[in-house]
Amino acid sequence: MTTALITGATAGIGAAFARRLAAEGRNLVLVARDTERLQEQATELHDRHGIEAEVLTADLSDDEGMVAVEKRLADRKHPVDLLINNAGFGNKGRFLEVSMADELTMLKVHCEAVLRLTSAAAGSMRERGRGGVVNVASVAAFVPRGTYGASKAWVVQFTQGVARDMAGSGVRLMALCPGFVRTEFHERAGMGTDNIPGWMWLDADKLVSSALADLAKGKSLSIPDPRYKALMGMVKLAPRGLLGGVSSRAGRKYGPQ
Ligand SMILES: NC(=O)c1ccc[n+]([C@@H]2O[C@H](COP(=O)([O-])OP(=O)(O)OC[C@H]3O[C@@H](n4cnc5c(N)ncnc54)[C@H](OP(=O)(O)O)[C@@H]3O)[C@@H](O)[C@H]2O)c1
């Protein structure tokens, strides 16, 4: 039986990955900060699908948390075959409205943790000649959108670069770029969603299905859903100034929206 480690497993996209991979019969290592929620999730997935689900409480914005997950990924006796670097969050507000501490925390979780965990996993996967890493970025990687967009652009560039470096090793890496997904993300960040049209929302379970299909095809970049594929095609052609104006307004204003 193979094992997948998912960061940010307790909610939203990470929880959808956990449901899907458990249903496929994979054992899981579930990572997040809320131990009680992780334990409830592990019990439910074990009871429903008969898989083993380990709980690993870790805050990926601090060194101790990153080291704990790196150690688990490097454990040769209990190998991890699939790593889903999914933990992430949004900060409400434009540049200078968000505290420097919150900006730096975002870089730790979205970039440093992704770098360190990918490295820990890819090393032991290469020795075994197989494995997969999915790094959850965002379509925000392709538009000007402050630290969030910049951190996700880093995830895309990093992942595609490493995928190329590891070509032929049996280890696949893929950056996953969702559009708007109904999860706890916006509420946790205190972002209003009233101005986001209904057609732009994606379902987390469907998103995970297309992501795993893209990984199986060997893609290094996945933009699930034809609506967002078309939109990102237009983004490539649109003037940067226009894009920046639209993108930096959506969901980032302070105060009620
Ligand atoms: N929702 C969207 O519209 C959307 C669109 C594009 C990309 N994304 C990306 O998708 C990923 C998942 O987001 P989501 O929408 O599923 O969000 P979510 O529903 O808010 O879930 C976030 C998960 O990350 C965990 N987490 C947050 N900070 C953490 C930390 N410091 N250390 C460890 N775990 C942490 C949370 O658990 P704990 O609080 O217990 O730690 C939770 O399990 C993120 O990388 C996000 O940027 C989301």
Side-chain angles (χ1 to χ4, degrees):
M1 210 183 244
T2 58
T3 299
L5 185 149
I6 306 165
T7 71
T10 47
I13 296 169
F17 268 109
R19 284 192 296 275
R20 166 66 190 264
L21 295 170
E24 287 179 1
R26 292 191 194 240
N27 290 331
L28 298 176
V29 184
L30 305 168
V31 180
R33 290 166 299 182
D34 184 336
T35 308
E36 204 178 315
R37 202 170 173 188
L38 282 167
Q39 274 163 349
E40 275 171 25
Q41 185 188 26
T43 305
E44 198 203 316
L45 291 171
H46 168 77
D47 292 351
R48 184 174 295 208
H49 302 289
I51 55 122
E52 296 304 320
E54 279 172 60
V55 162
L56 177 44
T57 306
D59 183 342
L60 292 171
S61 71
D62 72 30
D63 206 53
E64 196 185 335
M66 286 188 240
V67 168
V69 186
E70 281 175 312
K71 275 194 183 148
R72 178 61 190 86
L73 287 165
D75 181 349
R76 270 47 176 184
K77 283 194 193 135
H78 304 98
V80 170
D81 307 279
L82 178 63
L83 165 65
I84 314 284
N85 272 317
N86 161 79
F89 63 97
N91 284 324
K92 184 175 176 176
R94 296 185 196 183
F95 191 59
L96 298 183
E97 292 170 349
V98 176
S99 73
M100 188 48 63
D102 288 346
E103 298 273 34
L104 290 170
T105 300
M106 178 168 282
L107 293 182
K108 287 250 172 206
V109 177
H110 290 183
C111 302
E112 184 179 341
V114 170
L115 167 66
R116 290 173 61 169
L117 303 192
T118 299
S119 172
S124 71
M125 286 174 183
R126 186 170 57 183
E127 286 167 18
R128 296 195 304 283
R130 64 174 197 283
V133 178
V134 175
N135 289 334
V136 181
S138 166
V139 291
F142 307 114
V143 293
R145 195 176 165 82
T147 305
Y148 183 80
S151 69
K152 295 302 190 180
W154 180 88
V155 174
V156 171
Q157 291 296 321
F158 166 72
T159 307
Q160 291 201 284
V162 177
R164 188 166 280 256
D165 287 349
M166 297 201 65
S169 68
V171 184
R172 288 181 179 180
L173 290 100
M174 185 182 82
L176 169 61
C177 294
F180 290 111
V181 191
R182 290 204 191 277
T183 66
E184 296 174 13
F185 180 95
H186 298 91
E187 200 186 328
R188 282 178 186 238
M191 292 172 180
T193 54
D194 293 350
N195 58 354
I196 301 166
W199 66 266
M200 292 192 91
W201 288 101
L202 302 176
D203 172 77
D205 293 303
K206 288 186 187 151
L207 172 90
V208 164
S209 284
S210 28
L212 292 172
D214 282 346
L215 183 69
K217 285 179 200 152
K219 292 192 178 180
S220 68
L221 178 71
S222 170
I223 302 176
D225 195 89
R227 289 164 286 184
Y228 277 97
K229 280 196 182 83
L231 212 55
M232 290 307 111
M234 289 190 295
V235 158
K236 277 189 196 152
L237 303 173
R240 241 10 224 171
L242 175 71
L243 277 179
V246 175
S247 161
S248 72
R249 278 195 298 277
R252 296 173 77 210
K253 210 171 70 168
Y254 259 118
Q257 346 190 7

